[in-house]
Amino acid sequence: MRLAERIAAHSGLDLEWTQKIIGTARLSEPIRQLVLPPKASAAPQRKNWNGYRARFVEPMRIRAGVKFRDEHREALQRAQTQFGVPAEIITGVLGMETLWGQQTGQIRVLDALVTLAVDFPQAHPRAAQRSVYFAEELEQFLRLMHDSGTDPREPRGSYAGDMGLPQFMPSSWARYGVDMNGDGRIDLWNADDAIGSVASYLRGKGWQTGLPVYYRIAADVPTSTLAALAATGLKPVRSIEELRSHGITLITTPGSAPPGDVQLALVELENRDQPSLWIAATANLRVLTRYNPSRYYAMTVTELGAAITASPSSP
């Protein structure tokens, strides 16, 4: 109830309504356990790019993606034109997040946000900060529901409160949500609105129109040289000339030559006991990691979207 008082005072929401809604939330122990970091194993395995990619860039998911692309081609094109984010990247994100709406989550968003705002597990190394974060997300959620006339007890999502096809948190919904179908409301469970909202989000995080996510490279140099150049992480700070001076060249196709002033990051994707894949990533790979911090996720979004774009329409 003290949290309800703080939210009502800060947001201008009616106190009685805020208390009533928060009072109906059910605390969930499974949610508390799910937000704890995984226990470190005694011998952690190296990551496996080929295995990770194969889980998502596979025939069944590609067919579902082609169906989504064909059904929403007009909205995808409008989003690409308006925000400068390629349709295949938008499609890839939605496919990775919820299989284009087939897996949006069944947990009440209200229960998830209240649980994590008032009873975040103290075993988490950043419990205090995370509790504050979820209290702020709860406030955003209540404001969104109140302003749209939606019962806050109805929406379902993930255990962390992510919602809709793009799995947005309430603050992302409030900041980047787009009414792409023009019905006067933003509905993240509507495919067209989700398409526009993903494009808006990526553009807001710095997507650079016209740049690919990465370039393949040719490099006959020691792994130690590659590792040294990759030490700066995903921040693109290497010029084409610098990479070339170390014996690394970009593999491009006719018409795909990068701008001469492009900045790149040398990035390793581990393949467990097989040789790693090394790429030259643009700033757009880093943008995709704002959606999900894994470089493997970002690359799979790119590869899944490309596979769908290259596939013909279903008969």
Side-chain angles (χ1 to χ4, degrees), residues 266-295:
L266 197 63
V267 175
E268 179 185 15
L269 297 165
E270 295 179 343
N271 266 321
R272 195 158 292 173
D273 54 350
Q274 300 297 315
S276 294
L277 171 66
W278 292 87
I279 60 168
T282 72
N284 286 340
L285 180 74
R286 197 180 188 195
V287 170
L288 286 173
T289 64
R290 300 296 299 275
Y291 210 107
N292 179 303
S294 167
R295 65 188 64 181

Short mmCIF file of all heavy atoms in Angstrom, two decimals, residues 266-295:
data_model
loop_
_atom_site.label_atom_id
_atom_site.label_comp_id
_atom_site.label_asym_id
_atom_site.label_seq_id
_atom_site.Cartn_x
_atom_site.Cartn_y
_atom_site.Cartn_z
N LEU A 266 35.70 -5.81 -34.43
CA LEU A 266 36.02 -7.21 -34.70
C LEU A 266 35.39 -8.05 -33.59
O LEU A 266 35.65 -7.82 -32.40
CB LEU A 266 37.52 -7.42 -34.75
CG LEU A 266 37.97 -8.73 -35.42
CD1 LEU A 266 37.57 -8.75 -36.89
CD2 LEU A 266 39.47 -8.90 -35.28
N VAL A 267 34.54 -8.99 -33.97
CA VAL A 267 33.73 -9.73 -33.00
C VAL A 267 33.91 -11.22 -33.20
O VAL A 267 33.88 -11.72 -34.34
CB VAL A 267 32.24 -9.36 -33.13
CG1 VAL A 267 31.38 -10.22 -32.21
CG2 VAL A 267 32.03 -7.88 -32.82
N GLU A 268 34.08 -11.93 -32.09
CA GLU A 268 34.23 -13.39 -32.12
C GLU A 268 32.92 -14.05 -31.72
O GLU A 268 32.29 -13.68 -30.73
CB GLU A 268 35.33 -13.84 -31.16
CG GLU A 268 35.51 -15.35 -31.13
CD GLU A 268 36.52 -15.83 -30.09
OE1 GLU A 268 36.86 -15.01 -29.19
OE2 GLU A 268 36.95 -16.99 -30.16
N LEU A 269 32.52 -15.07 -32.48
CA LEU A 269 31.40 -15.93 -32.12
C LEU A 269 31.97 -17.33 -31.94
O LEU A 269 32.36 -17.98 -32.90
CB LEU A 269 30.32 -15.91 -33.21
CG LEU A 269 29.67 -14.53 -33.44
CD1 LEU A 269 28.92 -14.51 -34.75
CD2 LEU A 269 28.75 -14.18 -32.29
N GLU A 270 32.03 -17.77 -30.69
CA GLU A 270 32.66 -19.05 -30.39
C GLU A 270 31.84 -20.22 -30.93
O GLU A 270 30.60 -20.17 -30.97
CB GLU A 270 32.83 -19.21 -28.88
CG GLU A 270 33.79 -18.21 -28.26
CD GLU A 270 33.90 -18.39 -26.75
OE1 GLU A 270 33.02 -19.04 -26.16
OE2 GLU A 270 34.87 -17.89 -26.17
N ASN A 271 32.54 -21.27 -31.32
CA ASN A 271 31.89 -22.48 -31.84
C ASN A 271 32.30 -23.72 -31.04
O ASN A 271 32.59 -24.77 -31.60
CB ASN A 271 32.24 -22.68 -33.32
CG ASN A 271 31.19 -22.08 -34.23
OD1 ASN A 271 30.00 -22.17 -33.95
ND2 ASN A 271 31.64 -21.47 -35.31
N ARG A 272 32.38 -23.55 -29.74
CA ARG A 272 32.76 -24.62 -28.82
C ARG A 272 34.10 -25.20 -29.22
O ARG A 272 35.11 -24.52 -29.14
CB ARG A 272 31.66 -25.68 -28.73
CG ARG A 272 31.82 -26.62 -27.54
CD ARG A 272 30.52 -27.29 -27.17
NE ARG A 272 29.56 -26.33 -26.61
CZ ARG A 272 28.31 -26.61 -26.32
NH1 ARG A 272 27.84 -27.82 -26.55
NH2 ARG A 272 27.52 -25.71 -25.80
N ASP A 273 34.17 -26.44 -29.70
CA ASP A 273 35.47 -27.04 -30.01
C ASP A 273 35.84 -26.86 -31.49
O ASP A 273 36.86 -27.37 -31.94
CB ASP A 273 35.46 -28.53 -29.67
CG ASP A 273 34.32 -29.29 -30.32
OD1 ASP A 273 33.42 -28.64 -30.88
OD2 ASP A 273 34.32 -30.53 -30.26
N GLN A 274 35.03 -26.10 -32.22
CA GLN A 274 35.34 -25.79 -33.61
C GLN A 274 35.88 -24.36 -33.69
O GLN A 274 35.76 -23.58 -32.76
CB GLN A 274 34.07 -25.92 -34.47
CG GLN A 274 33.45 -27.31 -34.47
CD GLN A 274 34.39 -28.35 -35.06
OE1 GLN A 274 35.01 -28.11 -36.10
NE2 GLN A 274 34.52 -29.49 -34.39
N PRO A 275 36.51 -23.99 -34.80
CA PRO A 275 37.03 -22.63 -34.93
C PRO A 275 35.92 -21.58 -34.80
O PRO A 275 34.79 -21.79 -35.26
CB PRO A 275 37.64 -22.60 -36.34
CG PRO A 275 37.94 -24.04 -36.64
CD PRO A 275 36.87 -24.83 -35.96
N SER A 276 36.23 -20.49 -34.16
CA SER A 276 35.27 -19.40 -33.99
C SER A 276 34.98 -18.74 -35.34
O SER A 276 35.78 -18.80 -36.27
CB SER A 276 35.81 -18.34 -33.04
OG SER A 276 35.96 -18.85 -31.74
N LEU A 277 33.80 -18.11 -35.41
CA LEU A 277 33.49 -17.25 -36.54
C LEU A 277 33.85 -15.83 -36.15
O LEU A 277 33.42 -15.34 -35.10
CB LEU A 277 31.99 -17.33 -36.88
CG LEU A 277 31.49 -16.31 -37.92
CD1 LEU A 277 32.11 -16.59 -39.28
CD2 LEU A 277 29.97 -16.32 -38.00
N TRP A 278 34.65 -15.17 -36.96
CA TRP A 278 35.03 -13.78 -36.72
C TRP A 278 34.35 -12.90 -37.77
O TRP A 278 34.33 -13.23 -38.96
CB TRP A 278 36.55 -13.62 -36.81
CG TRP A 278 37.29 -14.31 -35.71
CD1 TRP A 278 37.70 -15.61 -35.68
CD2 TRP A 278 37.69 -13.74 -34.46
NE1 TRP A 278 38.34 -15.89 -34.50
CE2 TRP A 278 38.35 -14.75 -33.73
CE3 TRP A 278 37.56 -12.47 -33.90
CZ2 TRP A 278 38.88 -14.53 -32.47
CZ3 TRP A 278 38.09 -12.25 -32.64
CH2 TRP A 278 38.74 -13.26 -31.93
N ILE A 279 33.78 -11.79 -37.32
CA ILE A 279 33.10 -10.86 -38.21
C ILE A 279 33.54 -9.43 -37.91
O ILE A 279 34.09 -9.16 -36.84
CB ILE A 279 31.56 -10.95 -38.07
CG1 ILE A 279 31.16 -10.61 -36.62
CG2 ILE A 279 31.05 -12.32 -38.49
CD1 ILE A 279 29.68 -10.38 -36.43
N ALA A 280 33.29 -8.55 -38.86
CA ALA A 280 33.49 -7.12 -38.63
C ALA A 280 32.10 -6.51 -38.49
O ALA A 280 31.35 -6.39 -39.46
CB ALA A 280 34.24 -6.48 -39.80
N ALA A 281 31.73 -6.16 -37.27
CA ALA A 281 30.39 -5.68 -36.97
C ALA A 281 30.31 -4.16 -37.08
O ALA A 281 31.24 -3.44 -36.70
CB ALA A 281 29.98 -6.11 -35.56
N THR A 282 29.19 -3.68 -37.59
CA THR A 282 28.94 -2.25 -37.62
C THR A 282 28.24 -1.83 -36.31
O THR A 282 27.97 -2.66 -35.45
CB THR A 282 28.03 -1.86 -38.80
OG1 THR A 282 26.70 -2.34 -38.52
CG2 THR A 282 28.54 -2.46 -40.09
N ALA A 283 27.93 -0.56 -36.21
CA ALA A 283 27.22 -0.06 -35.04
C ALA A 283 25.85 -0.71 -34.89
O ALA A 283 25.30 -0.76 -33.78
CB ALA A 283 27.07 1.46 -35.13
N ASN A 284 25.30 -1.25 -35.97
CA ASN A 284 23.96 -1.82 -35.89
C ASN A 284 23.92 -3.13 -35.12
O ASN A 284 22.88 -3.49 -34.57
CB ASN A 284 23.38 -2.01 -37.30
CG ASN A 284 22.96 -0.68 -37.90
OD1 ASN A 284 22.75 0.29 -37.19
ND2 ASN A 284 22.84 -0.63 -39.23
N LEU A 285 25.03 -3.87 -35.06
CA LEU A 285 25.05 -5.05 -34.20
C LEU A 285 24.90 -4.62 -32.74
O LEU A 285 24.15 -5.22 -31.97
CB LEU A 285 26.34 -5.85 -34.38
CG LEU A 285 26.43 -7.11 -33.50
CD1 LEU A 285 25.51 -8.19 -34.03
CD2 LEU A 285 27.86 -7.64 -33.41
N ARG A 286 25.61 -3.58 -32.38
CA ARG A 286 25.52 -3.07 -31.02
C ARG A 286 24.10 -2.58 -30.70
O ARG A 286 23.61 -2.77 -29.59
CB ARG A 286 26.52 -1.93 -30.83
CG ARG A 286 26.82 -1.58 -29.38
CD ARG A 286 27.81 -0.46 -29.32
NE ARG A 286 28.27 -0.20 -27.97
CZ ARG A 286 28.92 0.89 -27.60
NH1 ARG A 286 29.18 1.83 -28.51
NH2 ARG A 286 29.31 1.06 -26.36
N VAL A 287 23.43 -1.98 -31.68
CA VAL A 287 22.04 -1.54 -31.49
C VAL A 287 21.15 -2.73 -31.17
O VAL A 287 20.30 -2.68 -30.28
CB VAL A 287 21.53 -0.78 -32.73
CG1 VAL A 287 20.01 -0.54 -32.63
CG2 VAL A 287 22.25 0.56 -32.87
N LEU A 288 21.34 -3.82 -31.91
CA LEU A 288 20.52 -5.01 -31.66
C LEU A 288 20.76 -5.58 -30.26
O LEU A 288 19.85 -6.18 -29.66
CB LEU A 288 20.79 -6.08 -32.72
CG LEU A 288 20.19 -5.81 -34.10
CD1 LEU A 288 20.66 -6.85 -35.10
CD2 LEU A 288 18.66 -5.80 -34.03
N THR A 289 21.95 -5.39 -29.72
CA THR A 289 22.19 -5.88 -28.35
C THR A 289 21.54 -4.99 -27.31
O THR A 289 21.53 -5.33 -26.13
CB THR A 289 23.70 -6.01 -28.05
OG1 THR A 289 24.33 -4.72 -28.10
CG2 THR A 289 24.38 -6.97 -29.01
N ARG A 290 21.00 -3.84 -27.70
CA ARG A 290 20.19 -3.05 -26.79
C ARG A 290 18.82 -3.71 -26.58
O ARG A 290 18.15 -3.47 -25.59
CB ARG A 290 20.00 -1.61 -27.32
CG ARG A 290 21.30 -0.84 -27.49
CD ARG A 290 22.01 -0.60 -26.17
NE ARG A 290 21.21 0.17 -25.25
CZ ARG A 290 21.15 1.50 -25.22
NH1 ARG A 290 21.85 2.21 -26.10
NH2 ARG A 290 20.40 2.13 -24.34
N TYR A 291 18.44 -4.52 -27.55
CA TYR A 291 17.19 -5.29 -27.43
C TYR A 291 17.41 -6.52 -26.56
O TYR A 291 16.58 -6.87 -25.73
CB TYR A 291 16.71 -5.70 -28.82
CG TYR A 291 15.21 -5.83 -28.95
CD1 TYR A 291 14.47 -4.88 -29.65
CD2 TYR A 291 14.53 -6.88 -28.37
CE1 TYR A 291 13.10 -4.98 -29.77
CE2 TYR A 291 13.15 -6.99 -28.48
CZ TYR A 291 12.44 -6.04 -29.18
OH TYR A 291 11.08 -6.15 -29.27
N ASN A 292 18.53 -7.15 -26.78
CA ASN A 292 18.94 -8.32 -26.00
C ASN A 292 20.46 -8.28 -25.97
O ASN A 292 21.09 -8.15 -27.03
CB ASN A 292 18.43 -9.61 -26.65
CG ASN A 292 18.84 -10.86 -25.91
OD1 ASN A 292 20.02 -11.12 -25.68
ND2 ASN A 292 17.85 -11.68 -25.55
N PRO A 293 21.10 -8.36 -24.80
CA PRO A 293 22.53 -8.11 -24.72
C PRO A 293 23.43 -9.15 -25.38
O PRO A 293 24.64 -8.95 -25.47
CB PRO A 293 22.80 -8.04 -23.22
CG PRO A 293 21.67 -8.80 -22.59
CD PRO A 293 20.49 -8.58 -23.47
N SER A 294 22.89 -10.24 -25.86
CA SER A 294 23.71 -11.30 -26.44
C SER A 294 24.05 -11.00 -27.90
O SER A 294 23.17 -10.76 -28.73
CB SER A 294 22.97 -12.64 -26.36
OG SER A 294 23.60 -13.60 -27.17
N ARG A 295 25.34 -11.07 -28.23
CA ARG A 295 25.75 -10.92 -29.62
C ARG A 295 25.24 -12.09 -30.46
O ARG A 295 25.01 -11.95 -31.67
CB ARG A 295 27.27 -10.81 -29.73
CG ARG A 295 28.04 -12.07 -29.30
CD ARG A 295 29.54 -11.84 -29.25
NE ARG A 295 29.89 -10.84 -28.23
CZ ARG A 295 31.12 -10.44 -28.00
NH1 ARG A 295 32.12 -10.94 -28.70
NH2 ARG A 295 31.38 -9.55 -27.07
#
